[in-house]
Amino acid sequence: MSGSMDGLVAVVTGGASGIGAAVVDRLREEGARVAIFDREVPEGMADAYRVDVGDDETVRAGVAQVAADFGGIDIVVNNAGIGAQGTIEANGDAEWARVFDVNVTGMVRVARAALPWLRKSRAAAIVNTSSVAATVGLQERALYGASKGAVLALTLHMATDHLREGIRVNCVNPGTADTPWVGRLLDSADDPAAERAALNARQPHGRLVKPEEVADAIAYLASPRAGSTTGVALAVDGGMDSLRPRPA
Ligand SMILES: NC(=O)c1ccc[n+]([C@@H]2O[C@H](COP(=O)([O-])OP(=O)(O)OC[C@H]3O[C@@H](n4cnc5c(N)ncnc54)[C@H](O)[C@@H]3O)[C@@H](O)[C@H]2O)c1
């Protein structure tokens, strides 16, 4: 697969950690030049820009800087996101607004700022990170799941709007993935080992999804090899969305 993205420039939001970091590695392996957008950029991280997707000014400045530094933008991976737990009673209006602002409007901001560059690209693609929480009901994920459902719908509408401009828009729906985010959730549980076992068991294939598996799916959707694929939600969830095996 090496070299399918030679000469292309990608922006990966939330690229400093977890799934985003795995995407950065994968796209670089494919030959892309990759800019990382993250609100937390560790010292010495290559081609990393401090961008808060919740702040339109930093997004516009980051996109302009990448275009100046790399000469254009071909691929946007909208991956930055935050979690929320609880039923609808657990979070007030301010938290609902904050999570939607990062998880949904954040993707809009980055794509909107990058559109003029994507329109000039010969291989333009946007990939959004949605979640299995967009397509199945989970306990205590009302706000998070609603925000990821919005990402799924947004993907379809963007794919339609920009089809004739040659910009493909797809999303991935990961199951629970073994990232620092989930590590933090496990650390805060009363019994982290039991919580991990429960999360493993919730995946029909019996284990957490690897960030590299999600990165491979995103790299495929982002690459010119997927030139006829747009408006698709690719599940990377060990069967959690669509399979009903009998309990072991
Ligand atoms: N881990 C999972 O189980 C899982 C499952 C399905 C979907 N997802 C989605 O995958 C994406 C990445 O999750 P992860 O598990 O790798 O999380 P993570 O916490 O390991 O990484 C997320 C990164 O996004 C950055 N970020 C957060 N808010 C930001 C903002 N406002 N501006 C810029 N950067 C910001 C963080 O600093 C961090 O580097 C998220 O959209 C998440 O909803 C995760």
Side-chain angles (χ1 to χ4, degrees):
M1 303 224 292
S2 156
S4 76
M5 293 186 181
D6 281 344
L8 300 181
V9 175
V11 169
V12 179
T13 73
S17 173
I19 291 169
V23 172
V24 171
D25 290 346
R26 191 74 195 83
L27 298 189
R28 285 180 178 156
E29 278 168 25
E30 294 262 358
R33 292 180 295 152
V34 183
I36 295 168
F37 278 9
D38 209 292
R39 64 177 175 189
E40 286 167 38
V41 174
E43 193 71 28
M45 184 171 274
D47 295 326
Y49 299 72
R50 191 177 298 279
V51 169
D52 179 349
V53 301
D55 175 352
D56 198 43
E57 234 174 84
T58 71
V59 168
R60 287 186 179 282
V63 165
Q65 195 58 53
V66 170
D69 292 348
F70 293 84
I73 298 174
D74 305 283
I75 294 162
V76 170
V77 178
N78 271 320
N79 167 79
I82 55 175
Q85 295 183 64
T87 71
I88 56 163
E89 290 179 304
N91 296 292
D93 288 3
E95 189 60 5
W96 274 80
R98 187 178 82 91
V99 172
F100 268 77
D101 189 54
V102 173
N103 289 4
V104 187
T105 318
M107 295 192 181
V108 172
R109 289 187 185 101
V110 179
R112 190 172 57 198
L115 271 176
W117 300 102
L118 297 178
R119 289 191 178 108
K120 293 182 213 258
S121 168
R122 61 184 163 83
I126 298 172
V127 185
N128 300 325
T129 305
S130 179
S131 168
V132 69
T135 58
V136 302
L138 303 173
Q139 271 170 251
E140 308 222 1
R141 291 293 181 277
L143 166 52
Y144 178 70
S147 76
K148 291 300 182 177
V151 170
L152 178 59
L154 177 67
T155 300
L156 296 175
H157 294 289
M158 287 172 61
T160 309
D161 283 340
H162 304 295
L163 179 70
R164 298 217 167 88
E165 297 179 321
I167 303 169
R168 296 181 302 103
V169 187
N170 294 288
C171 69
V172 291
N173 293 358
T176 305
D178 204 352
T179 68
W181 166 331
V182 169
R184 290 190 294 274
L185 273 179
L186 292 176
D187 289 346
S188 67
D190 292 337
D191 183 347
E195 184 65 15
R196 179 176 280 272
L199 289 179
N200 282 337
R202 196 171 66 175
Q203 303 286 139
H205 69 340
R207 62 167 175 82
L208 297 187
V209 173
K210 296 176 188 164
E212 295 76 16
E213 293 170 330
V214 183
D216 271 339
I218 291 175
Y220 169 66
L221 292 172
S223 90
R225 287 173 292 134
S228 293
T229 302
T230 189
V232 156
L234 180 51
V236 188
D237 65 358
M240 191 173 164
D241 175 55
S242 50
L243 307 185
R244 297 291 178 278
R246 287 165 58 140

